[in-house]
Amino acid sequence: AFWTLVSKFLHKQRRGPPPAAAAKGQNKKHGQVQQKQMMAHQFDAILVRTMEDIQKYRPRDLSTTTIGLAKIVKFVENSGGKRHFNNGSPHQVLQNLLVGTDAENTRFILRTIA
């Protein structure tokens, strides 16, 4: 269910960040960098856990996870060519994590699921 929720979040964020996300001052920028690094680490940890446990999933969970990941990959691949994601944004982090260079990460994920 996590990857399905992430997919929905990305589509809602297409309109831009919420108004409260505007940076206010240098200290806040430093805190945002730390938050973005932590977010990247957390997405990575969740993906690793998903890939480790995916063989244990029941058919419904497997299909839900696969569809959620596919929607995210499709979204960040299609959007990445049209606009530049802000460094450290959820879109950019997921593009790096799930697509990688020349879609190498996507191929690995698909091989693991298969």
Side-chain angles (χ1 to χ4, degrees):
F2 174 78
W3 295 109
T4 302
L5 294 175
V6 171
S7 174
K8 290 178 182 180
F9 166 78
L10 291 175
H11 283 78
K12 287 182 181 180
Q13 290 296 312
R14 181 185 301 183
R15 295 180 218 115
K24 296 179 183 175
Q26 195 67 10
N27 288 337
K28 187 162 184 163
K29 282 188 178 185
H30 178 69
Q32 287 176 340
V33 169
Q34 289 177 331
Q35 286 178 337
K36 290 175 182 180
Q37 290 171 343
M38 182 172 278
M39 177 185 55
H41 175 71
Q42 290 171 336
F43 274 135
D44 183 57
I46 293 168
L47 181 62
V48 166
R49 182 66 183 260
T50 300
M51 295 297 103
E52 288 174 349
D53 293 346
I54 202 148
Q55 299 303 321
K56 301 174 192 172
Y57 287 9
R58 292 183 174 166
R60 181 178 176 159
D61 295 332
L62 179 62
S63 62
T64 301
T65 301
T66 304
I67 291 168
L69 286 168
K71 285 181 178 182
I72 295 167
V73 168
K74 181 179 178 182
F75 182 82
V76 296
E77 278 185 329
N78 291 342
S79 298
K82 297 175 186 172
R83 70 175 93 139
H84 177 70
F85 296 132
N86 292 331
N87 190 24
S89 72
H91 300 79
Q92 187 262 334
V93 168
L94 288 166
Q95 184 176 34
N96 291 346
L97 184 65
L98 299 176
V99 179
T101 307
D102 298 326
E104 64 192 32
N105 296 356
T106 303
R107 286 191 293 274
F108 170 77
I109 291 167
L110 292 175
R111 279 193 305 266
T112 301
I113 291 171

